[in-house]
Amino acid sequence: MTPPPSRRRAPGMSVEERRAMIVAVALPLVAEYGAAVTTSQIARAAGIGEATIFRAFKDKDEVLDACVAEAVGTDHVLRELASISLDEPLPVRLTEAAEALRAHLERLGTVIGALHASGHRRGREPGAGPREADGRPGGSDGPSREGDGPPRDGDGPPRDGRAESAAVLRHAVVELIEPDRAAFRLSPEKVASAFLGLLFTRLQTPVAEADAPLTPDELIDVLLHGALHHPGSTG
């Protein structure tokens, strides 16, 4: 009798791939539930066993910290900006960039806001022990994990993360508008800074409902053409 063919297991994920998958699934749950989200909820949404989470992360706090790092990170929005075709007219490129940056800031605000509202603070107090799956302090025999996670903020010299993020975003916008350098009165670097300044102010400044903020089209029109009907017409 011919033996039945052996079943081959699908290739396993690396630790970093598993961490990235778990974070991608956890982000919308964190945005909805904040720190109250449980590892069992994340596991069900990911279609994995809860123990798999603890082979990639030390505890739930580390999952939440990884979600914050992903929300704060600029990798996703940089890919969006890089995908905008330089063959498009300048206003179209800037409109698409504004939409990508808006989505990035909204996701960041939603995740951070949900965690803050539910009492989570990024990082762990010095000397604090591991936590259980539901976030409660636990003993020293927490679930083991494969490999080590990324270094914590205290493992090296402090970095100005906001300044770094602003710099890389400005560079991405500069690359997006560089083909039109000859049309600008200012350098592309200054135009990019003005664009980001107008956009971030629009998104972060609370206004009355009757005083709606600039639409992306209006913002870009003011950036490119100014606020006057006829520039130079004022005394």
Side-chain angles (χ1 to χ4, degrees):
M1 177 182 293
T2 304
S6 60
R7 298 175 61 184
R8 298 179 59 185
R9 298 180 61 185
M13 291 183 177
S14 68
V15 178
E16 288 308 312
E17 289 172 336
R18 184 178 295 117
R19 287 172 66 93
M21 180 272 292
I22 292 169
V23 168
V25 171
L27 270 172
L29 294 173
V30 171
E32 182 175 358
Y33 299 105
V37 68
T38 66
T39 49
S40 63
Q41 285 177 301
I42 296 170
R44 285 196 301 271
I48 59 177
E50 193 171 4
T52 301
I53 294 177
F54 296 114
R55 287 198 290 270
F57 294 94
K58 183 181 299 182
D59 52 30
K60 192 183 84 170
D61 272 358
E62 194 170 65
V63 177
L64 297 179
D65 288 348
C67 288
V68 171
E70 175 64 19
V72 170
T74 56
D75 288 351
H76 180 76
V77 70
L78 289 176
R79 288 193 295 270
E80 292 288 321
L81 294 175
S83 71
I84 298 173
S85 173
L86 297 181
D87 293 330
E88 295 286 357
L90 178 61
V92 173
R93 275 177 272 148
L94 288 174
T95 298
E96 293 183 11
E99 178 57 29
L101 289 162
R102 180 201 61 77
H104 168 67
L105 289 179
E106 283 193 357
R107 182 176 77 156
L108 169 60
T110 300
V111 170
I112 301 299
L115 287 173
H116 182 80
S118 56
H120 178 75
R121 297 295 181 270
R122 189 177 179 190
R124 187 169 302 150
E125 296 298 325
R131 294 177 178 268
E132 302 294 351
D134 61 0
R136 294 173 299 162
S140 60
D141 298 326
S144 62
R145 59 174 178 162
E146 301 171 2
D148 293 318
R152 294 210 176 252
D153 294 343
D155 292 341
R159 298 182 301 175
D160 188 343
R162 290 186 179 182
E164 289 182 3
S165 295
V168 296
L169 290 176
R170 189 182 76 144
H171 179 71
V173 175
V174 168
E175 290 188 336
L176 197 60
I177 65 177
E178 179 65 34
D180 293 274
R181 173 183 286 269
F184 296 130
R185 292 189 296 111
L186 301 175
S187 69
E189 289 75 17
K190 288 187 176 181
V191 174
S193 294
F195 169 70
L196 292 172
L198 285 170
L199 180 64
F200 292 167
T201 300
R202 169 187 176 271
L203 293 173
Q204 296 176 0
T205 302
V207 294
E209 186 174 340
D211 186 20
L214 293 173
T215 66
D217 287 342
E218 289 172 335
L219 183 149
I220 292 161
D221 187 63
V222 169
L223 174 71
L224 297 180
H225 307 294
L228 300 176
H229 286 298
H230 304 289
S233 61
T234 60

